Amino acid sequence: MIDAGSIDPHPFEMSSSNKTEAPILSTEQQKKLDDAKIQARIDDEKYLRSHPEIKLMMSAFTKEVLRHQPDDIKGFAKNFFTDNLHEKISAEQERQRTQKILGQE
């Protein structure tokens, strides 16, 4: 189970010492926004855990990007995710299964 208290609702914000402007949201609005962000992250995590094929797709994609180092990453991603994706996922799944059997993971 995911502990909502351990999720930072502001992972990319500057530290308070760097802030010079007054807050735009009221305390109540900020609390609601923080709660919504936390719930969205929990929902995303649940979705990712229920769809392990996403991890396989991203693993295979990352390896191909690093192998080919394309100049046009968007075009490369378009081709990767539209051309024979099922075969790429199956190959990555088999590679990970083999590594697990050999104890290399």
Side-chain angles (χ1 to χ4, degrees):
M1 188 72 190
I2 301 166
D3 176 21
S6 67
I7 297 176
D8 179 5
H10 310 285
F12 303 110
E13 287 191 7
M14 297 184 298
S15 67
S16 59
S17 63
N18 293 334
K19 294 181 181 179
T20 58
E21 298 179 15
I24 296 173
L25 300 176
S26 71
T27 302
E28 181 181 338
Q29 290 172 323
Q30 187 64 54
K31 171 82 170 101
K32 286 181 179 180
L33 179 60
D34 291 347
D35 290 346
K37 287 179 181 180
I38 289 169
Q39 188 59 51
R41 289 180 70 181
I42 290 170
D43 292 344
D44 291 349
E45 182 67 26
K46 286 179 182 177
Y47 183 82
L48 290 172
R49 287 181 184 194
S50 67
H51 294 282
E53 66 275 12
I54 294 172
K55 185 176 180 180
L56 289 170
M57 289 188 324
M58 296 311 298
S59 177
F61 176 69
T62 302
K63 285 183 177 96
E64 289 298 304
V65 166
L66 293 173
R67 182 178 305 142
H68 297 284
Q69 299 184 0
D71 292 328
D72 177 14
I73 191 77
K74 289 179 183 178
F76 187 84
K78 178 186 138 297
N79 292 334
F80 179 86
F81 287 108
T82 56
D83 297 342
N84 304 314
L85 182 58
H86 180 71
E87 289 83 6
K88 293 172 186 172
I89 293 171
S90 295
E92 180 62 19
Q93 194 171 26
E94 184 60 32
R95 186 197 64 76
Q96 288 185 7
R97 189 178 303 122
T98 301
Q99 281 187 332
K100 189 176 257 184
I101 290 169
L102 297 174
Q104 296 177 352
E105 204 170 54

